[in-house]
Amino acid sequence: MKNSYRAFRALIVVAHIASPFAGVHSAFAATPPAAHAKSGPMISKALDALLLPINKGVIKKFKLDKGAHGVLVLSVKPGGVADKQGIKPGDVLAEVQGHKVHKPIDVDVAVRRQLKAGHSDMSFSVARGGAVIAVAAIITLESYNDTIAVSEISSWETDTTVSSSSYEEYVSVESTEIETSEESEETTVEEDLTQDESADADSSDDADDSSDDNSDDSGDDSSDDSGDDGSDDSGDDG
C-alpha cells in the first residue's frame, strides 16, 4: 500500500508544477488569468469533481495522448453534476463553451460567467479513449453553490488506473491543500467576474463619451452653418 501511495503521490507532486501559460484565449480576453490562481488539484464546484492540471507527468501516468491539453478529471462525486452529465474519471476537459481550458480554475470561471448571464446550459469538449466527445450539460446556480466537504472526496469514484487505497490516502494527506484551493477558488472566480464588470463599465463609458462628442460636433456645425448662411444672404440681398 505504501509503495502504491508513494507512486501516486509522486505523480501529484509533478502535477503541482505549473506549465508556462501559452497565451490568453479569446474566451478570457477581457480578463487575463489571475496570477494567484493555483495550478494544483482543485475541487470544481461546477462539476463536483476533483481536477488536475495536465503536464508530462500526468500524461505519462494516465496514458493520455501526448498532445493532451486541459485538465484531468481525477474523481467525481457519485450523483454529482459531472456524474449525472456523463463526465467520467479519466476524462480530459479540453474546452468549456468552445474555449480552451488551461488549468482547473478556468472550468469554474467559464461556468460561473455563463450562470451570471442567466444561462444554465453548458457545453464541454471531452477527450476520452482517443476520441473527442461533445458533452452538453445543465448546471444550475443552486448546484454550483452547494457546499462540498473535503472529507467526502476520499470516497468519490476515481480513475481505474489509480488504486482506491492510494487515492484515499492521497486525499487524506493532501486534504489541507485541497481545502485551501477550495477556499481560494470562490475569491478567484469573483475577482474575475468583477474585472468583467469593470471592463463592461469602461466600454459603456467610452461609448457615452463618443456619443457626446458626436452630439457636440453636430451642434457646432449646425449653428455655424446657419449663422453664416443667414448673414451672407442678407448682406447680398441688401
Side-chain angles (χ1 to χ4, degrees), residues 1 24 37 57 64 86 89 125 132 134 136 157 159 162 188 190 218-219 235:
M1 179 182 295
V24 181
L64 306 178
S125 179
V132 177
E157 179 185 351
D159 186 80
V162 179
T188 302
E190 291 304 320
S218 176

Side-chain angles (χ1 to χ4, degrees), residues 183-195:
E183 291 172 352
S184 66
E185 177 198 355
E186 185 172 354
T187 299
T188 302
V189 172
E190 291 304 320
E191 285 179 354
D192 279 12
L193 294 180
T194 299
Q195 289 178 19

Side-chain angles (χ1 to χ4, degrees), residues 5-82:
Y5 169 68
R6 287 196 185 104
F8 186 69
R9 165 67 176 157
L11 161 70
I12 304 303
V13 169
V14 174
H16 282 232
I17 303 175
S19 300
F21 191 74
V24 181
H25 191 272
S26 58
F28 308 111
T31 56
H36 58 276
K38 296 190 65 174
S39 292
M42 190 195 83
I43 298 174
S44 170
K45 294 177 62 178
L47 295 177
D48 297 332
L50 185 60
L51 308 179
L52 281 180
I54 290 179
N55 55 34
K56 292 181 180 179
V58 172
I59 289 174
K60 182 178 180 180
K61 173 63 179 178
F62 292 96
K63 299 179 175 59
L64 306 178
D65 292 338
K66 291 184 178 180
H69 67 86
V71 295
L72 176 69
V73 180
L74 183 61
S75 63
V76 300
K77 177 182 179 179
V81 175

Side-chain angles (χ1 to χ4, degrees), residues 14 27 37 49 52 90 112 114 167 219 223 234:
V14 174
L52 281 180
R112 188 65 183 83
Q114 187 79 338
Y167 170 73
S223 175
S234 176

Side-chain angles (χ1 to χ4, degrees), residues 3 5 49 58 99-100 108-109 113 123 126 143 149 168 170 189 211:
N3 288 337
Y5 169 68
V58 172
H99 305 303
K100 290 183 179 179
D108 282 19
V109 168
R113 280 187 178 135
S123 62
V126 177
S143 68
E168 290 171 10
Y170 161 70
V189 172
S211 177

Side-chain angles (χ1 to χ4, degrees), residues 152-163:
E152 71 180 82
I153 67 174
S154 60
S155 62
W156 286 5
E157 179 185 351
T158 189
D159 186 80
T160 54
T161 61
V162 179
S163 69

